[in-house]
Amino acid sequence: MEPSVLECLGVEIIGVMSPVSICMFLVVLLVYALSSPSSSAATITTAANLVYAENPADSPAEKFEGALLNAVVFVGLIALVTFLLVLLYYYNCTAFLRHYTRFSAFFVLASMGGSILLSLLQRFSIPLDAVSSLLLLFNFTVVGVLSVFAGGIPIILRQAYMVCLGIIVAAWFTKLPEWTTWTLLVALALYDLVAVLAPGGPLKLLVDLASTRNEELPALVYEARPTVATRTPAALGFVVAGVSDSEASRIELQVVSRDNVSNNDDDDDDIDANHGGSDEGERSPLVGGMRFGDVVINEEMSPLVEMSGMGDGEDAERVMREIGGERGIKLGLGDFVFYSVLVGRAAMYDLMTVYACYLAIISGLGCTLILLSVCRQALPALPISIALGVLFYFLTRLLMEPFIVGTATNLMMF
């Protein structure tokens, strides 16, 4: 029995959830490895806590008010930078944006990654001299930038470095104060919702500009593209795309019409025969001009394919002949970062809370992908997962953990 559409789609969903899970797991390990009694109270000063520096002696009301101010300022800065990127992209400053993205990746790997490397060397007392450390960091950074942006790089290496970028940024965000972290996560989820769905949202403006120009945005995104793919026509595609690591990311679903099934005249058949099935017939743009990427899924007819407008049996046979293709499902690096920040903050409490937050985030991501196949429009990736993660964190910490500990200490459950 041939696999169904949903089974093939499940493979692609796992291709996205697996790197997200790996990123969260490694962030949790970093939090446990770098946390010590001497550094447990150490925090960093970033744009996320410019207004208010949290003090343990402050009252809960003061902490909440200060954290709210920090979140408003940080989200405002993100919105300002995003509108600036929209302006630059509108005036065709694409080369500058690409160089800026490369510099951002280099800065994250070199400075922030170097700081984490130094902390690990000191924490585990690894005997490595300064010259060797600098040489190792330089090679790691250069190879990383080339892997993310250069062509002809194995996809597995590019995926690995995208996960590394998410781990490094998330590890830094876990150093923020607790109240600021939770308020910031909720504020970013709300901003993501407005930026993607509002008519004048900055992310929506970027998407519309890219749609009209029929080109990709220069951004840091994880591409869950299969390493082996066939070159056959297909008709259904999914796009999971995101903007840069400093912006809230979004996910969207589009339908691909690769073989132009509406053109059934004999002249087109003759042209296709003369060209011997060239790639031009397979690389037609997405509906609406979107070119972020696509995952082509092929299988017999199913309700999902019928909703895509593939009514006849001939189209149904072509729908499921290729998984992956030249492009694949893409997830913005911001999703990796903020998912991992939530789990990393939970790791500072206990492992039970980590498990609950992880399951909530994965469930939210799955719900988002299911909604994509129903709504057929751009949807933000953060709100559902962040909302479930924050909810399960406080439910586990306030209700489940006291219940489990109480029953275990009284030998009612062991």
Side-chain angles (χ1 to χ4, degrees), residues 31-42 123:
V31 169
Y32 275 104
L34 298 180
S35 62
S36 61
S38 60
S39 63
S40 58
R123 178 68 175 83

Side-chain angles (χ1 to χ4, degrees), residues 336-357:
F336 283 83
V337 172
F338 299 123
Y339 293 163
S340 302
V341 168
L342 197 155
V343 177
R345 172 53 63 176
M348 297 179 182
Y349 188 71
D350 64 358
L351 286 178
M352 184 189 306
T353 312
V354 173
Y355 299 148
C357 291

Side-chain angles (χ1 to χ4, degrees), residues 109-111 113-115 117 132-142:
L109 293 174
S111 63
S115 177
L117 175 62
S132 300
S133 300
L134 290 176
L135 184 62
L136 178 64
L137 181 62
F138 176 78
N139 284 276
F140 174 77
T141 303
V142 173

